[in-house]
Amino acid sequence: MEQICNRISMLRAEMKKQGISACIIPGTDPHASEYLADCWKEREWITGFDGSAGTVVITHTSAALWTDSRYFLQAEKQLEGTDIQLMKQGLLETIEIMPWLKTQLKAGERVGVNAQMFSVDSYASMKTELQMAKIELISIDLLLQVWTIRPEMPSQPFYVFETKYTGKTTLEKLALLRLEMKKEYADTVVISALDDIAWLFNIRGNDVNYNPVVIAYALVESTTATIFVAEEKLTEETKSYFRNEGVTVREYLEIYSVLSQLQSSTTVLVDGAKLNQALFQAIPIGCSIRKAMSPIYKLKSIKNNVEMAGVRCAMQKDAVAMTRFYMWLEANLASGDLSEMSISKILRAFRSEQENFVGESFGTIAGYASHGAIVHYQAVEPTEFKLTTENILLIDSGGHFLDGTTDITRTIALGTPTKQQKIDNTLVLKGHISLGTAKFPSGTRGSQLDILARKALWDLGLNYGHGTGHGVGHLLCVHEGPQSIRMDENPTVLQAGMIISNEPGMYRTNEYGIRIENLLHIIPAERTEFGQFLKFETLTLFPIDQQLIVWDMLSDFEIDWLNNYHQKVYKTISPLLNEVENEWLKLKCTAYNRA
Amino acid sequence: MEQICNRISMLRAEMKKQGISACIIPGTDPHASEYLADCWKEREWITGFDGSAGTVVITHTSAALWTDSRYFLQAEKQLEGTDIQLMKQGLLETIEIMPWLKTQLKAGERVGVNAQMFSVDSYASMKTELQMAKIELISIDLLLQVWTIRPEMPSQPFYVFETKYTGKTTLEKLALLRLEMKKEYADTVVISALDDIAWLFNIRGNDVNYNPVVIAYALVESTTATIFVAEEKLTEETKSYFRNEGVTVREYLEIYSVLSQLQSSTTVLVDGAKLNQALFQAIPIGCSIRKAMSPIYKLKSIKNNVEMAGVRCAMQKDAVAMTRFYMWLEANLASGDLSEMSISKILRAFRSEQENFVGESFGTIAGYASHGAIVHYQAVEPTEFKLTTENILLIDSGGHFLDGTTDITRTIALGTPTKQQKIDNTLVLKGHISLGTAKFPSGTRGSQLDILARKALWDLGLNYGHGTGHGVGHLLCVHEGPQSIRMDENPTVLQAGMIISNEPGMYRTNEYGIRIENLLHIIPAERTEFGQFLKFETLTLFPIDQQLIVWDMLSDFEIDWLNNYHQKVYKTISPLLNEVENEWLKLKCTAYNRA
């Protein structure tokens, strides 16, 4: 903690020198990424908090970190011993960053931010908000002189992701993109999101943990396409690939000079939520700016048939690995040696035995007992739990295969569950089934469906503090937009071809956590005089723990759903298993029969 | 129809003269009202379509009218014989106004609109959209020279609405408003919505049908408050009232000159969704503009205890009138003389017998058989239906009392209903119950709850093309914001104290329509570790037709709800009825007992 305090002192000295009263450091990078290369983990470096979401604000006399409910417990622990105050986002009583800043500063003072780390939209809204209190927002990289010994930028080579997996060539994708650009009257689009770039150019890499992306920018015009990427990351294979696809390659940071030389008659399509403010400022004043969501963001979210065939294959491999893992867990639990971290390693090992395994799609969340209540829990050496038969175990994990990406959560009882655990799990299951069996008209947004997953909980005054569903990439980010199912509004309409998770949960602080997660595929249902309807196909294929169910709380419809789901799991997965594994799965998939 | 064609020709001649290629005429007024004074019914005058929502666009060679699903059937009929094309808003295949205009015009052409008839936001977004195609938006009142013989502006006097009904004086309301202005750093607020003005100054009038508002503008500063209203509308009573409350009175149109003289250091709070562009343009360039939802809009939506006591009293009076009306209807149906229009008159008469009756809160929608499928149906002489025992009857009606405003829809079988009618009605009832019994955390928006009212329909590929719930004023507009429950997103959070309707429906074109509407009051439920929860109290007290129910489709929970509701209706209303009426109500409120 002393280290953190020293770092903050150094930053404050630099702030004083530059005449800056407050500094805002978000947990992102110039590409608006969720997972960051080490060289960009600025918020983590200055606070010690390593959650995937959170922003710290430091003034000369105070410091506060805002993060959401997934990280309340983790942040509390990691901030212990510092003077950084935890601000719990999403609670009505929590003051937001801008209002808080106004209570800390007076008119005439200046707030400094690194413009690379803020989107155009967030920069503009901060500026406007602060202006009201006559506080100035300054674009300045204060950490440049403070965090001097940084990790290097990743320099590993990346690879071409074959069309047999992607289903579409870069040329085909460029044609689709240009069609969208035309609709928006744009001549040029700047692309800064790493997964958009990986999708468009059919490349994958290892620059950050869990997201197989390549650090790069791109610029697409009506006849040209340029990727900006470090020379050292290129191989003969990728060089010739780009040549063949007609893609120009330039150095990573040359994007700035290329942007600054755009003709003033150019109309540039800018995704204000994603493009960083520094890049935006590089666009000449004379250019027309057309603000719209990145067309790639939308195109990428609709999976094609080749991608979907791959994903279905990945789901089967995942289920085989999960079967072997949980069998192993049951067999070895009595040893008393199993811990959250050790089982995560074993789970990874079972997944890696499967063909075309690329890596984990995120750090496994294995939360036993009260650790399960920490939504994005990552076990660490000194505090991890040993597994015993006293409580329940939540495991949220996923894999990347060349065929596609998986993400699954199951909660199982390691011994005899309590009545409350069974009730909570059954409420979560009711929500999971209600959402998974929804039918809805074309044009529906995720926020309209979210209540289906929560209603059983809300009816009893319960809730969970995270979203219900996120998109999933195809050998790309396990959290992929633009679709989502959450309480918050998201204007994106759910469309056939999208993949989205279904993961309601229930968390009792200091007791346990429950979550049930399957991935869903949006598919057409009937077309009636009231329009086209859509529904979900469940992609994930692994049994749900029946020991944690209060059967009387389920309707006949819900029991039928569960029995049918288990029958489908068994039918699909059993041919891939040996006899012993088969017996195990059969038992877990036994149909329940209401007496 | 010849008249409409002539008017359009005159407009086109004027457009030619002014060098305008297209003209957009919306169905609103300078106050963004839903119900208009006759002098402002421009869209109706030029098209013949008199629905409450719709915009016509006229070019030199084409004309098209956009309206929503409530008015598809009505607009089709009213546009017959003109060359105005009907554009069905909300259908995926329907092109929107701006994209359509771009297909009709070329770069360099000019579109003219009367800036008084467009909000600041809609004007700005049209301008931006058209600019992309290099089409210019011009502020010009083309109808000024075309619609020359207009109805006069309303000149009737208005009255002071007593504190014993409003619960708060104007001084108290001004204090609340100034608190909100301070939060937004605003010195001045321009108020243009007629119901905001009526609420703030505790006045009511008769300037438009059904909405007891007064045509006026207002300007509130930190120490002064000014109402801009026609001199001829003032009485000695209102003059002295304003004097006592410290409110300055000026002529209606003087708002323009007063605005134009604001000090350039002033920060003006502007509701971009409501203030008209012409008024906005009058604000001097030097002023700071603070865009935010009108604070009155929010303050007004939370009813105080005096208002709520009044509303509960109004609900009882409404139920008595409804009881007498439906008894009368049953007794006189056999005569064969009843028609949609005649029963609407009778219903009004029964309501007007009740104490403190002010008027109808909207034109009664009495739709028999296929007319019920026209969502905002208004019966007219040549096409209205006589009532027989062959079909079902939908009546949506409401009253203004000094105590408050009501709005209720019931659908009843006049003979033996068909199986499909009963199924449809039961699905609607299931939705009505599901929404009405919802419990939800503080911070929930209406769009999150909307699916509860639709799920039973969606499950069968059915839907209804209107919102599920709207706010209701207190002796003010029957459609009052900012809250709503709809498929569309509305960022307004549902708060304790708000009133909102619960009115799912089901419409079979050319067959029949079904709607069940009660008003709900949002009240606190329990507070748990997961936050404060809210729920609904049903305000409307009148039985739901049990002949139209398929009991096997209802769960025990739903049957219990209906039985409890009917018990409450009977208990509350029967003491206000005579013996015969009492017997009738008792029968309608009989509890159902699942055999």
CSV table of all heavy atoms in Angstrom, one decimal, chain A residues 468-508:
chain,number,residue,atom,x,y,z
A,468,THR,N,-27.8,-9.2,-17.5
A,468,THR,CA,-28.3,-10.5,-17.7
A,468,THR,C,-27.7,-11.2,-18.9
A,468,THR,O,-27.5,-12.4,-18.9
A,468,THR,CB,-29.9,-10.5,-17.9
A,468,THR,OG1,-30.4,-9.9,-16.7
A,468,THR,CG2,-30.4,-11.9,-18.1
A,469,GLY,N,-27.4,-10.4,-19.9
A,469,GLY,CA,-26.8,-11.0,-21.1
A,469,GLY,C,-25.9,-10.1,-21.9
A,469,GLY,O,-26.1,-8.9,-22.0
A,470,HIS,N,-24.8,-10.7,-22.4
A,470,HIS,CA,-23.9,-10.0,-23.3
A,470,HIS,C,-23.6,-10.8,-24.5
A,470,HIS,O,-23.8,-12.0,-24.6
A,470,HIS,CB,-22.5,-9.7,-22.5
A,470,HIS,CG,-21.9,-11.0,-22.1
A,470,HIS,ND1,-21.1,-11.8,-22.9
A,470,HIS,CD2,-21.9,-11.7,-20.9
A,470,HIS,CE1,-20.7,-12.9,-22.2
A,470,HIS,NE2,-21.1,-12.8,-21.0
A,471,GLY,N,-23.3,-10.1,-25.6
A,471,GLY,CA,-22.9,-10.8,-26.8
A,471,GLY,C,-21.6,-11.5,-26.6
A,471,GLY,O,-20.9,-11.2,-25.7
A,472,VAL,N,-21.3,-12.4,-27.5
A,472,VAL,CA,-20.1,-13.2,-27.4
A,472,VAL,C,-19.4,-13.2,-28.8
A,472,VAL,O,-20.1,-13.5,-29.8
A,472,VAL,CB,-20.3,-14.6,-26.9
A,472,VAL,CG1,-19.1,-15.5,-26.9
A,472,VAL,CG2,-20.9,-14.6,-25.6
A,473,GLY,N,-18.1,-12.9,-28.9
A,473,GLY,CA,-17.4,-12.9,-30.2
A,473,GLY,C,-17.2,-14.3,-30.7
A,473,GLY,O,-17.3,-15.3,-30.0
A,474,HIS,N,-16.8,-14.4,-32.0
A,474,HIS,CA,-16.4,-15.7,-32.6
A,474,HIS,C,-14.9,-15.7,-32.6
A,474,HIS,O,-14.2,-15.0,-33.4
A,474,HIS,CB,-17.0,-15.7,-34.0
A,474,HIS,CG,-16.6,-17.0,-34.7
A,474,HIS,ND1,-15.6,-17.0,-35.7
A,474,HIS,CD2,-17.0,-18.3,-34.5
A,474,HIS,CE1,-15.5,-18.3,-36.1
A,474,HIS,NE2,-16.3,-19.1,-35.4
A,475,LEU,N,-14.3,-16.5,-31.7
A,475,LEU,CA,-12.9,-16.4,-31.4
A,475,LEU,C,-12.4,-15.0,-31.3
A,475,LEU,O,-11.5,-14.5,-31.9
A,475,LEU,CB,-12.0,-17.2,-32.5
A,475,LEU,CG,-10.5,-17.2,-32.2
A,475,LEU,CD1,-10.2,-17.7,-30.8
A,475,LEU,CD2,-9.8,-18.0,-33.2
A,476,LEU,N,-13.2,-14.3,-30.5
A,476,LEU,CA,-13.0,-12.8,-30.2
A,476,LEU,C,-13.4,-12.6,-28.7
A,476,LEU,O,-13.5,-13.5,-28.0
A,476,LEU,CB,-13.7,-12.0,-31.2
A,476,LEU,CG,-12.8,-11.5,-32.4
A,476,LEU,CD1,-13.6,-10.6,-33.3
A,476,LEU,CD2,-11.5,-10.9,-32.0
A,477,CYS,N,-13.7,-11.3,-28.4
A,477,CYS,CA,-14.0,-11.0,-27.1
A,477,CYS,C,-15.2,-11.7,-26.5
A,477,CYS,O,-16.2,-11.8,-27.2
A,477,CYS,CB,-14.2,-9.5,-26.9
A,477,CYS,SG,-12.9,-8.5,-27.6
A,478,VAL,N,-15.1,-12.2,-25.3
A,478,VAL,CA,-16.2,-12.9,-24.7
A,478,VAL,C,-17.3,-12.0,-24.4
A,478,VAL,O,-18.5,-12.3,-24.3
A,478,VAL,CB,-15.7,-13.8,-23.5
A,478,VAL,CG1,-15.5,-12.9,-22.3
A,478,VAL,CG2,-16.7,-14.9,-23.2
A,479,HIS,N,-17.0,-10.7,-24.2
A,479,HIS,CA,-18.0,-9.6,-24.0
A,479,HIS,C,-18.0,-8.8,-25.3
A,479,HIS,O,-17.0,-8.1,-25.6
A,479,HIS,CB,-17.7,-8.7,-22.9
A,479,HIS,CG,-17.8,-9.4,-21.5
A,479,HIS,ND1,-17.3,-8.9,-20.4
A,479,HIS,CD2,-18.5,-10.5,-21.2
A,479,HIS,CE1,-17.5,-9.7,-19.4
A,479,HIS,NE2,-18.3,-10.6,-19.8
A,480,GLU,N,-19.0,-9.0,-26.1
A,480,GLU,CA,-19.0,-8.3,-27.4
A,480,GLU,C,-20.3,-7.6,-27.6
A,480,GLU,O,-21.4,-8.2,-27.3
A,480,GLU,CB,-18.8,-9.4,-28.6
A,480,GLU,CG,-18.8,-8.8,-30.0
A,480,GLU,CD,-18.6,-9.8,-31.0
A,480,GLU,OE1,-17.5,-10.2,-31.4
A,480,GLU,OE2,-19.7,-10.3,-31.6
A,481,GLY,N,-20.3,-6.4,-28.1
A,481,GLY,CA,-21.5,-5.7,-28.4
A,481,GLY,C,-22.0,-5.9,-29.8
A,481,GLY,O,-21.5,-6.7,-30.5
A,482,PRO,N,-22.9,-5.0,-30.2
A,482,PRO,CA,-23.6,-4.0,-29.4
A,482,PRO,C,-24.8,-4.5,-28.6
A,482,PRO,O,-25.3,-3.8,-27.8
A,482,PRO,CB,-24.1,-3.0,-30.5
A,482,PRO,CG,-24.3,-3.9,-31.7
A,482,PRO,CD,-23.3,-5.0,-31.6
A,483,GLN,N,-25.2,-5.7,-28.8
A,483,GLN,CA,-26.4,-6.2,-28.1
A,483,GLN,C,-26.1,-6.5,-26.7
A,483,GLN,O,-25.0,-6.8,-26.3
A,483,GLN,CB,-27.0,-7.4,-28.8
A,483,GLN,CG,-26.2,-8.7,-28.6
A,483,GLN,CD,-25.1,-8.9,-29.6
A,483,GLN,OE1,-24.5,-8.0,-30.1
A,483,GLN,NE2,-24.7,-10.2,-29.8
A,484,SER,N,-27.1,-6.4,-25.8
A,484,SER,CA,-27.0,-6.8,-24.4
A,484,SER,C,-28.5,-7.0,-23.9
A,484,SER,O,-29.4,-6.5,-24.5
A,484,SER,CB,-26.3,-5.7,-23.6
A,484,SER,OG,-27.1,-4.5,-23.6
A,485,ILE,N,-28.5,-7.7,-22.8
A,485,ILE,CA,-29.8,-7.8,-22.0
A,485,ILE,C,-29.5,-7.3,-20.6
A,485,ILE,O,-28.8,-8.0,-19.9
A,485,ILE,CB,-30.4,-9.2,-22.0
A,485,ILE,CG1,-30.7,-9.7,-23.5
A,485,ILE,CG2,-31.6,-9.3,-21.2
A,485,ILE,CD1,-31.1,-11.1,-23.6
A,486,ARG,N,-29.9,-6.1,-20.3
A,486,ARG,CA,-29.6,-5.5,-19.0
A,486,ARG,C,-30.8,-4.6,-18.6
A,486,ARG,O,-31.6,-4.3,-19.4
A,486,ARG,CB,-28.4,-4.6,-19.1
A,486,ARG,CG,-27.3,-5.0,-20.0
A,486,ARG,CD,-26.2,-3.9,-20.1
A,486,ARG,NE,-25.8,-3.5,-18.8
A,486,ARG,CZ,-24.8,-4.1,-18.1
A,486,ARG,NH1,-24.1,-5.1,-18.5
A,486,ARG,NH2,-24.5,-3.6,-16.9
A,487,MET,N,-30.7,-4.1,-17.3
A,487,MET,CA,-31.7,-3.2,-16.9
A,487,MET,C,-31.5,-1.8,-17.6
A,487,MET,O,-32.4,-1.2,-18.0
A,487,MET,CB,-31.5,-3.0,-15.4
A,487,MET,CG,-31.9,-4.2,-14.6
A,487,MET,SD,-32.2,-3.9,-12.8
A,487,MET,CE,-30.5,-3.6,-12.3
A,488,ASP,N,-30.2,-1.5,-17.9
A,488,ASP,CA,-29.9,-0.2,-18.6
A,488,ASP,C,-30.4,-0.3,-20.0
A,488,ASP,O,-30.4,-1.3,-20.6
A,488,ASP,CB,-28.4,0.0,-18.7
A,488,ASP,CG,-27.7,-0.4,-17.4
A,488,ASP,OD1,-27.6,-1.6,-17.2
A,488,ASP,OD2,-27.2,0.5,-16.7
A,489,GLU,N,-30.8,0.9,-20.5
A,489,GLU,CA,-31.2,0.9,-21.9
A,489,GLU,C,-30.0,0.8,-22.8
A,489,GLU,O,-28.9,1.2,-22.6
A,489,GLU,CB,-31.9,2.3,-22.2
A,489,GLU,CG,-32.2,2.6,-23.6
A,489,GLU,CD,-33.1,1.6,-24.4
A,489,GLU,OE1,-33.6,0.7,-23.7
A,489,GLU,OE2,-33.3,1.8,-25.6
A,490,ASN,N,-30.3,0.0,-23.9
A,490,ASN,CA,-29.3,-0.1,-25.0
A,490,ASN,C,-30.1,-0.1,-26.3
A,490,ASN,O,-31.0,-1.0,-26.5
A,490,ASN,CB,-28.5,-1.4,-24.8
A,490,ASN,CG,-27.7,-1.8,-26.0
A,490,ASN,OD1,-27.8,-1.2,-27.1
A,490,ASN,ND2,-26.9,-2.8,-25.9
A,491,PRO,N,-30.0,0.9,-27.2
A,491,PRO,CA,-30.9,1.0,-28.3
A,491,PRO,C,-30.7,-0.1,-29.3
A,491,PRO,O,-31.6,-0.2,-30.2
A,491,PRO,CB,-30.5,2.4,-28.9
A,491,PRO,CG,-29.1,2.6,-28.4
A,491,PRO,CD,-29.0,2.0,-27.1
A,492,THR,N,-29.7,-1.0,-29.2
A,492,THR,CA,-29.5,-2.1,-30.1
A,492,THR,C,-30.7,-3.0,-30.1
A,492,THR,O,-31.1,-3.5,-29.0
A,492,THR,CB,-28.2,-2.8,-29.8
A,492,THR,OG1,-27.2,-1.9,-29.8
A,492,THR,CG2,-28.0,-3.9,-30.9
A,493,VAL,N,-31.2,-3.3,-31.3
A,493,VAL,CA,-32.3,-4.3,-31.4
A,493,VAL,C,-31.7,-5.7,-31.5
A,493,VAL,O,-30.7,-5.9,-32.1
A,493,VAL,CB,-33.1,-3.9,-32.7
A,493,VAL,CG1,-33.8,-5.0,-33.3
A,493,VAL,CG2,-34.0,-2.7,-32.4
A,494,LEU,N,-32.4,-6.6,-30.8
A,494,LEU,CA,-31.9,-8.0,-30.9
A,494,LEU,C,-32.3,-8.6,-32.3
A,494,LEU,O,-33.4,-8.5,-32.7
A,494,LEU,CB,-32.6,-8.9,-29.8
A,494,LEU,CG,-32.3,-8.4,-28.4
A,494,LEU,CD1,-33.0,-9.3,-27.4
A,494,LEU,CD2,-30.8,-8.4,-28.1
A,495,GLN,N,-31.3,-9.2,-33.0
A,495,GLN,CA,-31.5,-9.6,-34.3
A,495,GLN,C,-31.2,-11.1,-34.5
A,495,GLN,O,-30.3,-11.6,-33.8
A,495,GLN,CB,-30.7,-8.8,-35.3
A,495,GLN,CG,-31.3,-7.4,-35.6
A,495,GLN,CD,-30.4,-6.7,-36.6
A,495,GLN,OE1,-29.4,-6.1,-36.2
A,495,GLN,NE2,-30.7,-6.9,-37.9
A,496,ALA,N,-31.9,-11.7,-35.4
A,496,ALA,CA,-31.6,-13.1,-35.7
A,496,ALA,C,-30.1,-13.2,-36.1
A,496,ALA,O,-29.6,-12.4,-36.9
A,496,ALA,CB,-32.5,-13.6,-36.8
A,497,GLY,N,-29.4,-14.2,-35.6
A,497,GLY,CA,-28.0,-14.4,-35.9
A,497,GLY,C,-27.1,-14.0,-34.7
A,497,GLY,O,-25.9,-14.4,-34.7
A,498,MET,N,-27.6,-13.2,-33.8
A,498,MET,CA,-26.8,-12.8,-32.7
A,498,MET,C,-26.7,-13.9,-31.7
A,498,MET,O,-27.6,-14.7,-31.5
A,498,MET,CB,-27.4,-11.6,-32.0
A,498,MET,CG,-27.3,-10.3,-32.8
A,498,MET,SD,-28.1,-8.9,-31.9
A,498,MET,CE,-27.6,-7.5,-32.9
A,499,ILE,N,-25.6,-13.9,-30.9
A,499,ILE,CA,-25.4,-14.8,-29.8
A,499,ILE,C,-25.5,-13.9,-28.5
A,499,ILE,O,-24.9,-12.8,-28.5
A,499,ILE,CB,-24.0,-15.5,-29.8
A,499,ILE,CG1,-24.0,-16.5,-31.0
A,499,ILE,CG2,-23.7,-16.2,-28.5
A,499,ILE,CD1,-22.7,-17.2,-31.2
A,500,ILE,N,-26.1,-14.3,-27.5
A,500,ILE,CA,-26.2,-13.5,-26.3
A,500,ILE,C,-26.3,-14.5,-25.1
A,500,ILE,O,-26.8,-15.6,-25.2
A,500,ILE,CB,-27.4,-12.6,-26.3
A,500,ILE,CG1,-27.3,-11.5,-25.3
A,500,ILE,CG2,-28.8,-13.3,-26.2
A,500,ILE,CD1,-27.9,-10.2,-25.7
A,501,SER,N,-25.7,-14.1,-24.0
A,501,SER,CA,-25.7,-14.9,-22.8
A,501,SER,C,-27.0,-14.7,-22.0
A,501,SER,O,-27.6,-13.7,-22.1
A,501,SER,CB,-24.5,-14.7,-21.9
A,501,SER,OG,-24.5,-13.4,-21.3
A,502,ASN,N,-27.3,-15.7,-21.2
A,502,ASN,CA,-28.5,-15.7,-20.3
A,502,ASN,C,-28.0,-16.1,-18.9
A,502,ASN,O,-27.8,-17.3,-18.7
A,502,ASN,CB,-29.5,-16.7,-20.9
A,502,ASN,CG,-30.7,-17.0,-20.0
A,502,ASN,OD1,-30.8,-16.3,-18.9
A,502,ASN,ND2,-31.6,-17.9,-20.4
A,503,GLU,N,-27.7,-15.1,-18.1
A,503,GLU,CA,-27.0,-15.4,-16.9
A,503,GLU,C,-27.5,-14.7,-15.6
A,503,GLU,O,-26.8,-13.9,-15.1
A,503,GLU,CB,-25.5,-15.2,-17.0
A,503,GLU,CG,-25.1,-13.9,-17.7
A,503,GLU,CD,-23.6,-13.8,-17.8
A,503,GLU,OE1,-22.9,-14.1,-16.8
A,503,GLU,OE2,-23.1,-13.4,-18.9
A,504,PRO,N,-28.7,-15.0,-15.2
A,504,PRO,CA,-29.2,-14.4,-14.0
A,504,PRO,C,-28.4,-15.0,-12.8
A,504,PRO,O,-27.8,-16.0,-12.9
A,504,PRO,CB,-30.7,-14.8,-13.9
A,504,PRO,CG,-30.8,-15.9,-14.8
A,504,PRO,CD,-29.8,-15.8,-15.8
A,505,GLY,N,-28.4,-14.3,-11.7
A,505,GLY,CA,-27.7,-14.8,-10.5
A,505,GLY,C,-28.3,-14.2,-9.3
A,505,GLY,O,-29.3,-13.6,-9.3
A,506,MET,N,-27.7,-14.6,-8.1
A,506,MET,CA,-28.2,-14.2,-6.8
A,506,MET,C,-27.1,-14.3,-5.9
A,506,MET,O,-26.4,-15.4,-5.8
A,506,MET,CB,-29.4,-15.1,-6.4
A,506,MET,CG,-29.9,-14.9,-5.0
A,506,MET,SD,-30.6,-13.2,-4.8
A,506,MET,CE,-30.4,-13.1,-3.0
A,507,TYR,N,-26.8,-13.2,-5.2
A,507,TYR,CA,-25.5,-13.2,-4.4
A,507,TYR,C,-25.9,-12.8,-3.0
A,507,TYR,O,-26.5,-11.7,-2.7
A,507,TYR,CB,-24.5,-12.2,-5.0
A,507,TYR,CG,-24.3,-12.6,-6.5
A,507,TYR,CD1,-25.1,-12.0,-7.5
A,507,TYR,CD2,-23.5,-13.6,-6.9
A,507,TYR,CE1,-25.0,-12.3,-8.8
A,507,TYR,CE2,-23.4,-14.0,-8.2
A,507,TYR,CZ,-24.2,-13.3,-9.2
A,507,TYR,OH,-24.1,-13.7,-10.5
A,508,ARG,N,-25.4,-13.6,-2.0
A,508,ARG,CA,-25.6,-13.2,-0.6
A,508,ARG,C,-24.2,-12.9,-0.1
A,508,ARG,O,-23.4,-13.9,0.1
A,508,ARG,CB,-26.2,-14.4,0.2
A,508,ARG,CG,-27.5,-14.9,-0.4
A,508,ARG,CD,-28.7,-14.4,0.5
A,508,ARG,NE,-30.0,-14.9,0.0
A,508,ARG,CZ,-31.1,-14.3,0.3
A,508,ARG,NH1,-31.1,-13.2,1.0
A,508,ARG,NH2,-32.2,-14.8,-0.2
